[in-house]
Amino acid sequence: MGNLWIGTPGALHEIDRAAKTFDRSAELGVNEFRSLSGRVTLTRNPSPVRRIKLGWELLAPRHARLLDRLARRLDGPGPLVLVDPASGNALDPRQAAGKGDPGQAGLNQWFKVSVNGTVVESATAPGTFSFAAVDATSKLAWRARTWSNFPVAPGMRVSFHAPAAFATLPTVAVQVDFKKADGSYLSTVAVNGPLVMATVPAEAALVTPCAAPGAAGTYSLAGACLTYGGPAEQDVPGDGMPPMAVTGYSDTPARPQPYRSIGLDLVEVSSAAG
């Protein structure tokens, strides 16, 4: 497990002190209705919302000042990127399972980075996707649903594991492409095999994981994993990297000064404006 990183794309900051309190429960949006006969009916939000509650004691001034700026939106309205050290897979939950929006050709989750190859949707299981490789050069990339590319910071460790169907092939190859904040290409770390690990280079603000099965065929996209701070493992459920906004903040001077006790509440949002 690595450290927590927080900020905006291109300006992530590492908090190298473990939070004393850390609650990352999802808000399921379940409501219970009881009839006069005593029977219970439930309604549920189809997309649970992640809520994060963090608390630090005796936090160093440089970290406290950063969190204060983010909470008061002094660097802009956001939304914020939160690299959760408890997350084992930064891919979207459905994306990690090889699923996406039915009828959208998987464009919100994947895109090809080779001349040939196609993301195909199952005719019998709408919303389930595979990669149809034409030959050994067919290559696929994973898209961050909100950020387009996955936010990173120089010095951070990242690793990517290919989907389970790719990983069984002796011809599989994976890579991570690092890009600047404007999306322009910077460098690549590539390996032959299902797992790549790399340190984010200077100037990099984004990373795009890619994989090539290395042989013609149609392969399920389930089982891929992108991990920050540790080696990626196959078939880890996705947590995603949703945009976050601060909804609660506490700042208590601590002894000895100038250390401070900080509390931060964040919620997954579609927009942080307003």
Side-chain angles (χ1 to χ4, degrees), residues 19-237:
K20 185 176 178 63
T21 58
F22 189 174
D23 185 339
R24 60 193 301 274
S25 305
E27 184 179 88
L28 300 180
V30 175
N31 293 300
E32 181 178 311
F33 300 92
R34 188 178 299 273
S35 68
L36 293 177
S37 65
R39 300 300 297 271
V40 173
T41 301
L42 297 180
T43 61
R44 178 173 176 173
N45 185 337
S47 300
V49 173
R50 177 75 71 189
R51 290 188 180 272
I52 305 276
K53 292 181 180 292
L54 297 160
W56 293 269
E57 292 184 357
L58 298 177
L59 195 60
R62 64 188 179 91
H63 292 323
R65 286 193 292 266
L66 164 69
L67 295 176
D68 178 76
R69 291 187 65 86
L70 295 177
R72 294 192 291 136
R73 297 186 174 188
L74 298 183
D75 298 324
L80 299 177
V81 176
L82 179 72
V83 178
D84 179 352
S87 173
N89 190 351
L91 299 182
D92 178 87
R94 292 190 300 162
Q95 184 183 44
K99 297 182 179 181
D101 300 325
Q104 297 301 309
L107 295 178
N108 290 326
Q109 287 80 19
W110 306 276
F111 61 97
K112 68 176 185 177
V113 289
S114 56
V115 174
N116 49 39
T118 309
V119 177
V120 294
E121 184 174 3
S122 170
T124 58
T128 299
F129 291 87
S130 301
F131 182 57
V134 175
D135 55 29
T137 67
S138 300
K139 187 183 299 182
L140 181 72
W142 276 250
R143 188 192 305 278
R145 190 177 181 91
T146 299
W147 314 105
S148 183
N149 297 278
F150 294 89
V152 292
M156 182 186 286
R157 289 285 293 172
V158 297
S159 71
F160 176 67
H161 197 290
F166 288 38
T168 61
L169 302 170
T171 52
V172 64
V174 291
Q175 67 187 59
V176 283
D177 294 340
F178 294 108
K179 301 172 182 178
K180 298 180 181 180
D182 62 3
S184 59
Y185 173 79
L186 189 63
S187 63
T188 292
V189 176
V191 301
N192 293 322
L195 175 67
V196 60
M197 296 183 285
T199 298
V200 179
E203 297 188 67
L206 304 164
V207 66
T208 300
C210 308
T218 300
Y219 306 97
S220 168
L221 292 173
C225 179
L226 176 67
T227 297
Y228 290 66
E233 299 179 29
Q234 184 177 300
D235 293 322
V236 175

